[in-house]
Amino acid sequence: MTDDHLYTRFDKLREDLMSPSTADPSALRQAARHRTRMNTLAAAAVTAVGAIVAAAVAFGAPQAPQPGASTGPTTPIPSMGPTGSPAPSATPTCRAFTLSHYGGDGHAGSATNGYAVTNTGSVACELTGFAGLTFVDQAGRPLPTTIVHSGTETRLVLAPGGVAYFEVTTVNVPVDNEGAPCDPPAAGLLIFLPNSGETVNLPGTYRACGQGRATMTPFHESPDPNMHQ
Amino acid sequence: MDEQQFDECYRATVRRLVHFAYAMCGDVGVAQDLAHEAYLRAWQRRRQLATYEDIEAWLRLVVTRLCTDRWRRLAVHHRALRSLGLPESGPPPSEDTVLLVAALRAIPVKQRQAIVLYYLGGLAVDEIANEMGASAGTVRSWLARARAALNARLTEPIRSGTEERPR
């Protein structure tokens, strides 16, 4: 067989699949956001348990520091401060902070919200990995929450007044056999920082389908440009 | 890579990528899924990909990896992709194409990847070497072995091509 015959055969393959099924690329982008990544699922399942436990403890003693209630692995991670300079190893965990909503991006089926953590303390502090989160009802009781971590955790050092960002994507259509429409909706979102006893409750109506699935990015230094005010 | 760039990249490359996935994996439905899985991952990693010169090569790499060893373990991804509402693929491939794909599946994956990039992708030996991280000599060797293997399996001349070419 000569090259010509192989070219002919591959031409035929191309011809047979002249019109492959294609998707609307915007649907692809949306599906990418919604995707529960398998490579983070196992870790996330463990973390979700940790997050719920941490939330429960936080409810019991909201002011108490919780050095043991980490939501991520405790393996040391190379320092990556916002300035690019190595962080001193003795940097304390961020405990004095404010949390604000800095933007969002809505889609059919899900919503992404961006949050900004500002260090309100007088010294630099450290943020590692992911924020913790649980949906709560009107009485402030935790609702089922399934955290999915998306991305690799980093360690940030926030100077006084420094800001870190993270995004949370929630699903607002029923998942699998969950049944419509994932009611009652959560009445708040309780967010807490790793290794910190401080929590912030962001009131609002959140449809949290998929057993309260929330896909979270790690803390990062710049706001996500896809978020809208 | 912003939304518009991603959409343009998708529209410009999706057919070629599905063809490539089909030649590598031998199943039309799986090929569609793998190709779209690659685009999903591309969008998830758009910040890194923005620095790459050849996104299509990256997409082919993802497809190759998925179809050679990972896809079977990712059954749940089929469900996620079904939510895209991809229409059923068109008429089944001709017997000639089925035979070609079966023959491709019978040869080692490196040889398959090289010969598919060469004949279907239209890449030069040097480009294949670059994409596969091998020397040009190695690629030529893979191509020669793959040709010999396909020769042995595809003895019948193709009958229904667009034109008859001399043997």
Side-chain angles (χ1 to χ4, degrees), chain B residues 4 13 17 23 29 47 57 74-75 102 120 122 134 136 156 163:
Chain B
Q4 188 183 348
T13 59
L17 193 65
R47 288 192 184 92
L74 299 178
L120 186 71
E156 290 297 311
E163 58 177 308

Side-chain angles (χ1 to χ4, degrees), chain A residues 53-110:
Chain A
V53 169
V57 175
F59 274 107
Q63 300 307 315
Q66 291 161 50
S70 169
T71 58
T74 53
T75 313
I77 290 172
S79 303
M80 259 181 49
T83 61
S85 58
S89 57
T91 309
T93 299
C94 291
R95 298 192 195 286
F97 64 92
T98 58
L99 190 70
S100 59
H101 181 257
Y102 80 85
D105 192 9
H107 325 275
S110 78

Side-chain angles (χ1 to χ4, degrees), chain A residues 40-54 70-73 145-149:
Chain A
T40 59
L41 193 58
V46 173
T47 309
V49 172
I52 290 167
V53 169
S70 169
T71 58
T145 303
T146 305
I147 307 289
V148 179
H149 283 174

Side-chain angles (χ1 to χ4, degrees), chain A residues 14-54:
Chain A
R14 212 181 276 117
E15 187 185 306
D16 282 358
L17 268 68
M18 190 60 89
S19 305
S21 301
T22 56
D24 177 355
S26 68
L28 265 169
R29 287 188 267 108
Q30 189 178 315
R33 280 181 188 279
H34 296 180
R35 159 69 61 76
T36 302
R37 294 183 192 177
M38 288 308 293
N39 57 355
T40 59
L41 193 58
V46 173
T47 309
V49 172
I52 290 167
V53 169

Side-chain angles (χ1 to χ4, degrees), chain A residues 9 12-13 16-17, chain B residues 22 93-102:
Chain A
R9 287 188 182 273
K12 188 74 173 75
L13 180 152
D16 282 358
L17 268 68
Chain B
Y22 176 51
S94 65
E95 187 185 340
D96 287 320
T97 295
V98 170
L99 286 174
L100 169 64
V101 169

Side-chain angles (χ1 to χ4, degrees), chain A residues 1-33 35-39 105 176 224-226, chain B residues 3 6-7 10-11 14-15 18-19 32 36-37 40 43-44 46-47 76-77 80 84 86-89 93-94 97 100 118-120 147 150-151 154 156 158 160 162 165-167:
Chain A
M1 190 189 304
T2 64
D3 254 16
D4 272 355
H5 275 82
L6 279 177
Y7 277 122
T8 306
R9 287 188 182 273
F10 278 99
D11 283 347
K12 188 74 173 75
L13 180 152
R14 212 181 276 117
E15 187 185 306
D16 282 358
L17 268 68
M18 190 60 89
S19 305
S21 301
T22 56
D24 177 355
S26 68
L28 265 169
R29 287 188 267 108
Q30 189 178 315
R33 280 181 188 279
R35 159 69 61 76
T36 302
R37 294 183 192 177
M38 288 308 293
N39 57 355
D105 192 9
D176 295 333
D224 183 337
N226 293 313
Chain B
E3 294 185 354
F6 175 82
D7 293 2
Y10 174 81
R11 293 195 185 97
V14 63
R15 287 179 184 217
V18 171
H19 292 159
Q32 313 251 38
H36 286 87
E37 173 72 23
L40 280 188
W43 180 246
Q44 287 173 327
R46 57 192 177 280
R47 288 192 184 92
V76 67
H77 283 197
L84 283 177
L86 282 174
E88 290 296 312
S89 39
S94 65
T97 295
L100 169 64
Y118 188 82
Y119 287 100
L120 186 71
R147 275 192 205 102
L150 293 183
N151 258 331
L154 300 170
E156 290 297 311
I158 189 162
S160 48
T162 50
R165 299 191 189 194
R167 247 193 134 168

